[in-house]
Amino acid sequence: MKKIQLFITITALAFVLSSCEYNVENEDVVIDPCETEVSYGNVIRPLIDSNCMPCHNGDGNTPFAPDLTNYNSVQGIASLIKDVTQSGRMPKNGSLTEVEKDAIKCWVDQGALNN
């Protein structure tokens, strides 16, 4: 009788343990923010207009502030823009969200296209 109880207990325990599965759905999924193409006209230009124009408007009043009023000037220093926004050095009078920083990074990594 004890052998049967031991067998039933071991079988039940084996069943319970084997029914536990590794649930991938509950794990944090890392989504690549650069999965889709970032648009200069729809995403980057508005970010520049709202965050950079006080100093980078090309009027010459802010020393050492590159003019970011047009695509060609932005594209020419795209890697620098990526570096200073990723590090948090820019914008000086505000801050970018992680989503905005990711958009800039992705746009530059995708070739800083005029799209």
Side-chain angles (χ1 to χ4, degrees):
M1 184 70 174
K2 287 189 180 197
K3 287 185 177 183
I4 294 175
Q5 285 178 332
L6 181 61
F7 176 74
I8 292 172
T9 303
I10 291 173
T11 304
L13 184 59
F15 176 74
V16 169
L17 292 176
S18 68
S19 68
C20 296
E21 67 179 65
Y22 186 71
N23 192 346
V24 176
E25 291 177 325
N26 291 336
E27 206 175 278
D28 288 336
V29 177
V30 177
I31 299 173
D32 180 6
C34 298
E35 191 172 313
T36 58
E37 186 175 86
V38 177
S39 166
Y40 173 77
N42 294 330
V43 177
I44 302 304
R45 185 75 249 166
L47 283 175
I48 291 171
D49 289 344
S50 62
N51 293 284
C52 309
M53 282 302 103
C55 299
H56 296 275
N57 57 24
D59 68 4
N61 290 332
T62 306
F64 310 109
D67 178 2
L68 301 180
T69 57
N70 62 66
Y71 169 76
N72 288 333
S73 59
V74 171
Q75 193 274 335
I77 59 169
S79 292
L80 176 62
I81 293 169
K82 173 185 164 184
D83 291 343
V84 297
T85 56
Q86 294 300 298
S87 69
R89 292 185 311 218
M90 292 287 163
K92 286 193 180 215
N93 298 326
S95 63
L96 297 172
T97 67
E98 289 303 313
V99 171
E100 292 169 331
K101 288 179 184 181
D102 285 345
I104 293 168
K105 176 189 175 304
C106 293
W107 176 73
V108 173
D109 290 351
Q110 294 168 355
L113 303 174
N114 189 6
N115 52 359

